[in-house]
Amino acid sequence: MDKVSIHWFRRDLRLDDNPSLQFAAQNGAVTPIFILDTVNNTQKEFNLGEASAWWLHHSLKSLNESLDKKINFFKGDPLEIIENIINDYDVESFSWNRCYSPWEIKRDTKIKSFLKDKDINVKTFNSSLLWEPWEILKDDDTPYKVFSPFYRKGCLKKHAGPRQVVESNQNLEPNNQKISDKSIDELELLAKFPWHDKLIEHWNIGENAAMEKYMNFSKEGLNGYKDGRNFPSYPNVSVLSPHLHFGEISPHQIWYHDKTKSAPDRDVLHFHSELGWREFSYYLIYHFPDMCTDNLNKKFDKFPWGQNDDFLKAWQEGKTGYPIVDAGMRQLWQTGYMHNRVRMIVASFLVKNLLIDWRKGLEWFNDCLCDADLANNTASWQWTAGSGADAAPYFRIFNPILQGKKFDPDGDYTKHFVPELKNFPSKYLFAPWEAEEEVFTEAGIDYGKDYPKPIVSIEESRDIALKAYDKIKG
Ligand code: FAD
């Protein structure tokens, strides 16, 4: 029996800058495996949402093509599967790149110690974070809870820079011997109802597509990022989030490439600080794993969240009567993505104007976003709700009318996703109820029928939210 060197692909679906794959290649013929874990992530907050599962399906197809269709696919309990592999094959080494969700850490710790007990050369690597969460601590050895000192003092100043990009594995010749005959289709990642078919027109998936998108952004979008990133119709965001989530590109590749390029420092530094927010989210769920399900700030455990399924449905369907909110929710539904500024607006609207628990919003995002990411999603929802680390204070409530006017002044974004308002004058676009009847007639809109009237009043719902907050302020 030939010796095999196993690389376990997880959220590192690339050949370049892949430390574990590189290690495996040094130990002999690489046998790449992928396991769809159906056992350890039982909590619904941690489940693979339908849009992410769709992405994963296509990303695996692309990676498998790059590896001559030599990836071995499995589905089930990773520990059991790995136990079978080491019983059946002569395993020289076993390696993977680290994941950081609490349930993954628990699972991987168990598997690592199992492999060690079996005398297998097991190694794990950093591949997806610029700084390991346990490396960054305050002077008193406790974790940071505020972004700025975490990033500036903890990450940028205190430690050496992120690890360098490792050598490419593009020429890797994987082991011809297959150890599983399961196909990607047999992982059953695609939802039975093919709603996801519409997503394909918005995305190119896989390592090559990720690099191409990044290169284009670096040439055309990075210049002007600091200001332009706030405007949803501007081409100044990278839209790399699903690629980063699945590891089709690493933050290290981006970090070191940006440093050699010609965009102004202010834009590069700001772009890197957004990668820093990604680091901070991972850092938080590493140090405070309960926050994936519970309020980080326990004061919020007593918050009197409302229960209104009609409001929740109107929000999910983009029918709240607030055009910028509806545009965002429809962008999410149609494309599996939403611009960051609009994510903040729709999330604030859900938790503050509709008084709906942030966990309901997180669940919907988790199902609909191609970039659904336990760390970023949890930290961002808690940030918006006011219950998280370094959170937006609860009393800061985004006003969807002012936000729309400021960040989508010509209404290009809003009209694109809410086409029934395409002929509506910009002056009234974000507060249609202020328009006279003839404005609707001229725009050909039957108000209340073609486009809904607001489901709540902004002023009243704001007052109710502030009173609710007063009750827990303490
Ligand atoms: P760019 O502006 O081009 O930024 C580059 C990368 O930096 C992003 O791809 C992302 O990895 C990271 N990044 C940027 N902004 C943030 C941020 N505020 N927090 C953390 N990382 C950031 N991001 C996710 O990746 N997955 C999620 O599930 C997710 N859920 C969110 C939920 C809410 C309520 C909010 C307000 C934000 C959420 N975000 C999430 C963060 C952010 O909106 C997205 O990362 C960003 O919009 C992705 O677009 P981009 O790639 O064009 O970003």
Side-chain angles (χ1 to χ4, degrees):
M1 202 165 31
D2 289 344
K3 283 184 180 296
V4 296
S5 171
I6 299 203
H7 165 67
W8 179 9
F9 276 113
R10 296 120 64 88
R11 285 219 299 281
D12 54 337
L13 305 181
R14 63 177 184 272
L15 301 182
D16 280 341
D17 191 36
N18 191 322
S20 162
L21 190 56
Q22 190 195 35
F23 166 81
Q26 287 159 1
N27 283 300
V30 180
T31 302
I33 65 168
F34 176 86
I35 304 173
L36 184 68
D37 187 337
T38 55
V39 170
N40 294 288
N41 49 347
T42 45
Q43 263 173 283
K44 68 176 179 305
E45 293 85 350
F46 308 161
N47 273 339
L48 203 56
E50 289 198 355
S52 305
W54 168 82
W55 187 288
L56 178 59
H57 173 91
H58 290 287
S59 193
L60 288 173
K61 286 229 151 158
S62 163
L63 184 68
N64 200 28
E65 285 297 325
S66 310
L67 283 173
D68 266 351
K69 301 206 166 100
K70 297 286 166 41
I71 302 182
N72 300 277
F73 294 98
F74 300 89
K75 185 175 179 180
D77 178 1
L79 181 59
E80 209 176 287
I81 290 165
I82 289 169
E83 193 172 357
N84 288 338
I85 294 176
I86 64 158
N87 284 338
D88 295 347
Y89 298 91
D90 188 2
V91 175
E92 172 74 27
S93 72
F94 207 111
S95 62
W96 63 79
N97 293 308
R98 289 189 275 275
C99 291
Y100 301 86
S101 302
W103 66 270
E104 289 168 316
I105 293 177
K106 215 160 120 191
R107 175 196 67 191
D108 293 350
T109 308
K110 210 155 102 189
I111 294 176
K112 195 170 180 182
S113 90
F114 166 79
L115 287 168
K116 274 187 173 162
D117 286 349
K118 297 280 176 192
D119 276 338
I120 305 283
N121 179 11
V122 53
K123 282 249 182 320
T124 65
F125 295 86
N126 161 291
S127 96
S128 61
L129 288 183
L130 297 167
W131 290 275
E132 294 289 13
W134 52 88
E135 285 174 355
I136 311 288
L137 292 170
K138 291 195 287 188
D139 293 340
D140 63 1
D141 281 343
T142 60
Y144 287 96
K145 276 189 165 181
V146 178
F147 173 71
S148 233
F150 158 79
Y151 184 59
R152 297 195 188 292
K153 193 168 170 217
C155 299
L156 294 183
K157 288 229 176 88
K158 207 165 171 181
H159 283 264
R163 67 161 177 81
Q164 294 295 323
V165 170
V166 304
E167 241 171 66
S168 169
N169 292 295
Q170 292 288 351
N171 295 326
L172 181 101
E173 282 182 24
N175 197 351
N176 273 327
Q177 184 190 13
K178 291 280 287 212
I179 62 171
S180 162
D181 52 14
K182 205 179 256 322
S183 69
I184 298 176
D185 292 342
E186 285 172 276
L187 300 179
E188 296 176 299
L189 286 161
L190 299 180
K192 297 269 179 294
F193 176 71
W195 69 273
H196 42 72
D197 283 354
K198 66 188 175 191
L199 297 178
I200 199 73
E201 69 186 90
H202 301 283
W203 301 99
N204 285 323
I205 300 177
E207 178 173 16
N208 294 340
M211 187 45 82
E212 194 183 326
K213 186 190 271 182
Y214 165 62
M215 286 304 190
N216 286 338
F217 168 73
S218 152
K219 271 191 236 124
E220 284 154 26
L222 186 55
N223 191 338
Y225 177 80
K226 186 169 197 276
D227 301 320
R229 65 180 285 273
N230 279 308
F231 295 82
S233 66
Y234 288 14
N236 290 111
V237 286
S238 68
V239 197
L240 281 168
S241 44
H243 303 281
L244 274 164
H245 171 77
F246 285 104
E248 295 172 0
I249 188 168
S250 74
H252 308 77
Q253 290 170 288
I254 295 175
W255 184 270
Y256 286 111
H257 184 268
D258 283 347
K259 290 197 179 247
T260 65
K261 293 296 144 190
S262 57
D265 268 3
R266 69 193 295 268
D267 293 319
V268 174
L269 293 180
H270 202 94
F271 185 56
H272 285 187
S273 77
E274 292 306 321
L275 292 175
W277 274 100
R278 175 176 180 272
E279 299 283 316
F280 189 47
S281 303
Y282 276 83
Y283 179 83
L284 289 173
I285 67 157
Y286 176 81
H287 288 288
F288 309 101
D290 290 348
M291 76 179 278
C292 298
T293 46
D294 302 341
N295 295 304
L296 184 63
N297 179 345
K298 296 296 167 213
K299 223 162 57 177
F300 276 80
D301 290 352
K302 294 212 175 87
F303 192 85
W305 298 113
Q307 258 288 358
N308 188 323
D309 290 346
D310 292 338
F311 281 177
L312 181 62
K313 190 159 179 275
W315 178 80
Q316 290 171 337
E317 291 180 349
K319 291 184 182 162
T320 66
Y322 288 93
I324 188 87
V325 173
D326 294 340
M329 296 309 293
R330 295 186 201 184
Q331 181 184 24
L332 173 64
W333 182 245
Q334 285 168 31
T335 70
Y337 172 86
M338 195 194 303
H339 185 275
N340 179 61
R341 166 66 43 187
V342 193
R343 290 188 204 206
M344 292 193 289
I345 298 170
V346 304
S348 171
F349 188 79
L350 185 80
V351 293
K352 296 182 180 171
N353 298 102
L354 302 183
L355 229 58
I356 291 178
D357 193 324
W358 59 267
R359 281 159 280 227
K360 295 272 183 214
L362 178 138
E363 238 177 78
W364 185 250
F365 270 33
N366 186 51
D367 215 21
C368 300
L369 278 171
C370 291
D371 66 30
D373 179 282
L374 185 64
N376 280 351
N377 210 15
T378 304
S380 302
W381 273 100
Q382 293 231 33
W383 180 89
T384 313
S387 59
D390 201 6
Y394 189 82
F395 55 79
R396 193 174 302 149
I397 300 180
F398 280 72
N399 179 316
I401 302 146
L402 301 180
Q403 290 283 320
K405 285 182 178 165
K406 188 165 175 195
F407 295 112
D408 191 25
D410 301 322
D412 292 344
Y413 171 83
T414 302
K415 288 181 177 181
H416 180 77
F417 288 105
V418 187
E420 57 271 41
L421 296 179
K422 71 175 186 298
N423 297 324
F424 212 61
S426 295
K427 186 176 165 198
Y428 299 112
L429 181 62
F430 299 104
W433 56 92
E434 287 176 358
E436 303 289 339
E437 222 178 291
E438 53 265 31
V439 179
F440 287 101
T441 316
E442 246 169 65
I445 297 167
D446 185 348
Y447 192 32
K449 218 166 166 205
D450 295 337
Y451 183 71
K453 293 187 175 167
I455 56 171
V456 288
S457 135
I458 280 296
E459 292 77 21
E460 281 170 23
S461 59
R462 186 175 183 280
D463 288 347
I464 295 171
L466 291 178
K467 281 193 188 117
Y469 178 62
D470 277 344
K471 289 195 189 137
I472 61 156
K473 217 160 57 178

